[in-house]
Amino acid sequence: MTEPNLFSPYDLGGIMLANRIVMAPLTRNRAGAGLVPSPLAAEYYGQRASAGLIIAEATQVSKQAQGYQDTPGLYTTEQIAGWRKVTEAVHAKGGRIFVQLWHVGRVSHGDLHGGEAPVAPSAIRAETKTFVNNGFAVVSEPRALELDEISGIVADFRTAAANAIDAGFDGVELHGANGYLLDQFLRETANVRTDAYGGSVENRARLLLEVAAAVAHEIGAERTGVRLSPVSPASGIVPASNEQPQFNYVVEKLDDLGIAYIHVVEGATAGPRDFAPFDFDALRARFRNSYIANNGYDLDLANARLAEGKADLFAFGRPSIANPDLVDRLKTGAPLAQPDIATLYGGGAEGYTDYPVATSATQG
Ligand code: 8OZ
């Protein structure tokens, strides 16, 4: 038998994927009124259903979880109904789709919260901007979450995961990356708490692990994944000096929970892979289920890492935007289109559902 490659089927803990190519979660800021995914979202994800797995864009678990204008939610009946159209479009084409659940924490603006401060592990403002009122704005000063508020955040993730299954998703990915709430708790540069949720490797990991356990209990560990970005400076997070022991511990504990996968941004998100020293193989070695690798992969690097057993699945972000037929293009060697930066965030069909396939002969 020939060795598996990027185009070989894959058994993701009982969910059969047609290939090893994953559409990474991508924020597009096109939700409609009530932060409901629009009918265009169903068309957009349906067009990309030949990926082995789609991970739908970061989606709020609550109103408090929002940090940007027009990003979708999964906490109202209308949002669930909107997402159901998306999952039906993908499943009708034989695809599989998870959704990424997030709480942005401090990466937010008071204008999204009736003038109230966004919440964070500690009252430390991130050096970053967000997109609100049709423009970029410096994020607001956050307030530290009270200890008795934390169980409510865990419950919001659990409810949103149940809603995701109700909406027809095959599973959920918890956004533990890119400087958002769960990542903020992991970092001694954003979390200076002195209670059970800060002050040590174990304590900083507690919220992420409680959320993962609650979601795995609610929908099944085999339908639960977690995204991590150990050295990424995304959204103003400052990687600390202790990332390796912190993330080794997190992954050991996620392995104990038996979740389906970890999805690791290797290097700086959408930036250099060698941004900072970090042993990603040490995470892989600590995790028995699937490892989704992300950041700057091309076909050759992905196949090389697959052959070495360093990863099982490969998530492509920007290439998935401009190439609805990414799988075919990688297979045939057709050139990859580049996304139009001007239409990445917000707007309608332009730069969203109007990217063409390479040739009509390869349309599925
Ligand atoms: C780009 C713009 C807004 C949000 C991430 C969810 O970096 C995001 C995001 C990306 O994970």
Side-chain angles (χ1 to χ4, degrees), residues 89-125:
V90 171
H91 289 150
K93 293 194 172 175
R96 297 278 180 267
I97 182 165
F98 278 42
V99 62
Q100 188 184 55
L101 297 181
W102 73 343
H103 188 310
V104 299
R106 67 182 185 171
V107 185
S108 191
H109 194 281
D111 285 1
L112 292 168
H113 305 288
E116 307 255 316
V119 299
S122 302
I124 302 172
R125 190 205 290 251

Side-chain angles (χ1 to χ4, degrees), residues 35 60 62-69 75 103-119 130 132-133 140-143:
L35 305 181
Q60 287 94 242
S62 66
K63 195 166 176 336
Q64 185 198 64
Q66 187 182 1
Y68 302 81
Q69 165 181 331
Y75 54 88
H103 188 310
V104 299
R106 67 182 185 171
V107 185
S108 191
H109 194 281
D111 285 1
L112 292 168
H113 305 288
E116 307 255 316
V119 299
T130 183
V132 283
N133 305 321
S140 301
E141 184 79 29
R143 70 169 177 86

Side-chain angles (χ1 to χ4, degrees), residues 27 29 58 68 100 102 175 177-178 180 227 234-235 269 345:
T27 288
N29 305 78
Y68 302 81
Q100 188 184 55
W102 73 343
H175 200 341
N178 294 347
Y180 300 109
R227 197 177 210 215
S235 293
T269 309
Y345 306 119

Side-chain angles (χ1 to χ4, degrees), residues 1-11 17-22 52 298-308 311-314 316 327 330-331:
M1 213 183 104
T2 54
E3 290 295 313
N5 64 28
L6 214 51
F7 307 106
S8 317
Y10 186 73
D11 181 352
L17 310 184
N19 55 63
R20 317 289 178 104
I21 296 164
V22 175
D298 62 14
L299 181 64
D300 289 344
L301 182 60
N303 275 328
R305 298 288 289 170
L306 188 62
E308 291 169 7
D312 304 299
L313 299 164
F314 298 86
F316 295 83
V327 174
L330 291 174
K331 206 182 276 180

Side-chain angles (χ1 to χ4, degrees), residues 68-197:
Y68 302 81
Q69 165 181 331
D70 301 331
T71 50
L74 247 175
Y75 54 88
T76 71
T77 310
E78 294 76 19
Q79 291 162 354
I80 296 170
W83 278 118
R84 194 172 289 121
K85 295 200 178 80
V86 171
T87 63
E88 283 171 359
V90 171
H91 289 150
K93 293 194 172 175
R96 297 278 180 267
I97 182 165
F98 278 42
V99 62
Q100 188 184 55
L101 297 181
W102 73 343
H103 188 310
V104 299
R106 67 182 185 171
V107 185
S108 191
H109 194 281
D111 285 1
L112 292 168
H113 305 288
E116 307 255 316
V119 299
S122 302
I124 302 172
R125 190 205 290 251
E127 287 290 323
T128 192
K129 289 184 176 175
T130 183
F131 193 81
V132 283
N133 305 321
N134 296 316
F136 288 95
V138 171
V139 296
S140 301
E141 184 79 29
R143 70 169 177 86
L145 280 161
E146 301 289 341
L147 183 59
D148 67 6
E149 291 179 282
I150 290 188
S151 61
I153 299 218
V154 176
D156 287 341
F157 272 96
R158 191 177 59 228
T159 303
N163 291 344
I165 299 305
D166 187 8
F169 284 104
D170 297 293
V172 308
E173 171 174 294
L174 306 174
H175 200 341
N178 294 347
Y180 300 109
L181 184 69
L182 301 177
D183 197 19
Q184 289 157 29
F185 269 83
L186 294 176
R187 313 286 178 161
E188 51 189 23
T189 54
N191 177 356
V192 295
R193 299 179 72 93
T194 54
D195 60 14
Y197 292 86

Side-chain angles (χ1 to χ4, degrees), residues 15 98 165 169-173 215 218-225 260:
I15 302 170
F98 278 42
I165 299 305
F169 284 104
D170 297 293
V172 308
E173 171 174 294
V215 167
E218 181 72 31
I219 67 169
E222 72 287 357
R223 295 199 281 195
T224 305

